[in-house]
Amino acid sequence: MEKIAQNTDRQDIYKAMLVALGLAIAVAGYFYRAKFDGQITGFFRIGSVLPLSPFLNPAETLIYQGELGYDGQQFLTIALDPGLQNQDSIAALDHPSYRYRRILYPLLGYLLGLGNPVLIPWALVLINILAIAVCTGLTAVYFQSQKQKTIGALIVLAIPGIWMVLFLSTADLLASAFSMGTVVCQQIFPPHQSKKWWLVPILLALALLTRETSLIIWLAIALTLVQNRQWRSMVPLLLSLIPLTLWLGYIRWRQLPGGSGTGNFGWPLVGIGEKFQSLIQAGLTDNNIYEAYLWLLLLLTLALLIWLTLLQRQSNRTLAYGGWLYGGLLLVASFYILNYYLNYSRVFLDLFLLTILAMAPTSKLIRWPYLAISGLGTVTFLLLKS
């Protein structure tokens, strides 16, 4: 009977992943046909201001005239030349030393695309499609560990940032898949009870090579281990920092041009104050109402995560620490991040995912209203804003 129950549990997880995979493929197909006129490069929002990657044919590339482009353009440039051996590749990046830190997503795109410039854009889009299914599956695993039905994991698909990342082909989804895997493994494989806990530092190392803001998840787990006095587990956790440290050392050795970024963070509350000011000044336009909606959804999500983890802080301290750390990150976020929903919806994607995990032990009276509120933002993006 126990084996039958385990098989049923696995089947439920696979079903949730298949639903997510099917929906992700359908949405990607919708973007490809309806939004990008059948051009795969449309997923990377390539502008005309920066030089084009030398490995792209301008005649076969969807270029948005007069635009600077978006992060997906930077990742595609690196994926086409992951060693940055061509000087024209470096010239096509706005901040080479900064962009090159997030190497894992473009490197996987290069490997999955077999180094072929025609296949690499498809590979990067495929990675994000699979990451959506993985995030859903991991959420289903967590829900089962909390004795909840796996159907609740499908709330993940209501997060607007999920589809924005798919639309723009950035690294956030892949990083979130690794981060989610870390948090789930930390919960179901306790370091003092399971030998499988070694998955935690491995997934963290991969997350950090994908997006350095995954350090928040690293800190949340470190604080959990310190509070539980699990000192031995701190050793492999510290080792998970080595790959990122070596990679940053290599970038420094290469002496690539570009500074530390684009002013993503600054003094506490300054960016938040500027955000509210801009919303008030912009008035009651359709775009500004939607912008305000997603901004308030972010604040609601943060408040909900902190509140839920205060109620159940003994069950998963990592979620509690993650909530407070992301709250601190939001406090110091600059207006550069907060000025546009496509920015903060991606940067704080892990915050949304952690909140859904925190909802696992709660009643449907919390889950379903949140699903409706978040889902409305997603449907609006897919139909009107993308």
Side-chain angles (χ1 to χ4, degrees), residues 168-224:
L168 297 167
S169 294
T170 58
D172 308 273
L173 266 171
L174 182 62
S176 291
F178 290 133
S179 296
M180 283 280 285
T182 299
V183 174
V184 172
C185 287
Q186 168 75 3
Q187 176 68 15
I188 63 177
F189 303 132
H192 59 287
Q193 297 178 5
S194 175
K195 294 181 179 180
K196 293 183 180 180
W197 192 85
W198 57 267
L199 287 169
V200 170
I202 290 178
L203 290 171
L204 273 174
L206 295 173
L208 291 169
L209 286 172
T210 308
R211 189 178 61 183
E212 66 277 5
T213 52
S214 300
L215 275 169
I216 286 191
I217 302 298
W218 188 95
L219 282 171
I221 292 176
L223 290 171
T224 301

Side-chain angles (χ1 to χ4, degrees), residues 57-325:
N57 183 348
E60 299 175 355
T61 303
L62 181 59
I63 300 175
Y64 293 84
Q65 297 299 321
E67 290 192 14
L68 179 63
Y70 214 74
D71 290 7
Q73 177 178 350
Q74 309 291 311
F75 285 115
L76 179 58
T77 297
I78 296 173
L80 292 166
D81 183 13
L84 290 186
Q85 298 301 310
N86 192 313
Q87 287 298 317
D88 289 336
S89 294
I90 298 175
L93 299 174
D94 55 359
H95 298 277
S97 62
Y98 172 70
R99 298 295 182 182
Y100 206 37
R101 294 178 193 173
R102 304 175 177 184
I103 186 60
L104 191 56
Y105 173 56
L107 178 60
L108 288 178
Y110 176 84
L111 295 175
L112 188 61
L114 304 176
N116 188 322
V118 175
L119 297 179
I120 288 172
W122 291 91
L124 291 171
V125 174
L126 177 61
I127 288 171
N128 278 338
I129 289 174
L130 294 176
I132 292 174
V134 170
C135 286
T136 305
L138 289 168
T139 306
V141 171
Y142 188 86
F143 268 61
Q144 281 192 357
S145 73
Q146 300 296 311
K147 310 301 180 185
Q148 300 293 322
K149 294 182 179 179
T150 55
I151 191 173
L154 296 179
I155 299 179
V156 167
L157 303 177
I159 300 175
I162 293 280
W163 308 106
M164 294 175 191
V165 174
L166 180 62
F167 182 72
L168 297 167
S169 294
T170 58
D172 308 273
L173 266 171
L174 182 62
S176 291
F178 290 133
S179 296
M180 283 280 285
T182 299
V183 174
V184 172
C185 287
Q186 168 75 3
Q187 176 68 15
I188 63 177
F189 303 132
H192 59 287
Q193 297 178 5
S194 175
K195 294 181 179 180
K196 293 183 180 180
W197 192 85
W198 57 267
L199 287 169
V200 170
I202 290 178
L203 290 171
L204 273 174
L206 295 173
L208 291 169
L209 286 172
T210 308
R211 189 178 61 183
E212 66 277 5
T213 52
S214 300
L215 275 169
I216 286 191
I217 302 298
W218 188 95
L219 282 171
I221 292 176
L223 290 171
T224 301
L225 294 178
V226 170
Q227 184 173 357
N228 293 337
R229 299 182 182 278
Q230 294 166 334
W231 308 113
R232 289 185 179 180
S233 299
M234 283 297 298
V235 175
L237 193 69
L238 290 170
L239 292 177
S240 69
L241 297 174
I242 291 178
L244 176 62
T245 303
L246 293 175
W247 181 246
L248 293 177
Y250 171 73
I251 294 174
R252 187 176 181 84
W253 175 77
R254 285 282 304 269
Q255 296 183 332
L256 294 172
S260 59
T262 49
N264 292 336
F265 305 102
W267 293 103
L269 294 175
V270 172
I272 292 177
E274 292 176 343
K275 179 62 180 179
F276 278 111
Q277 182 181 7
S278 70
L279 289 174
I280 294 171
Q281 291 176 344
L284 295 177
T285 65
D286 290 343
N287 287 335
N288 195 49
I289 290 173
Y290 183 68
E291 181 71 45
Y293 188 90
L294 289 189
W295 169 244
L296 293 176
L297 175 62
L298 173 63
L299 298 180
L300 170 66
T301 301
L302 175 60
L304 187 58
L305 175 58
I306 292 176
W307 178 65
L308 289 173
T309 52
L310 283 175
L311 294 177
Q312 56 195 24
R313 60 178 177 269
Q314 297 302 321
S315 62
N316 195 329
R317 293 186 175 99
T318 300
L319 294 181
Y321 285 126
W324 288 106
L325 289 168

Side-chain angles (χ1 to χ4, degrees), residues 2 5 109 312 351 372:
E2 185 177 349
Q312 56 195 24
L351 172 62

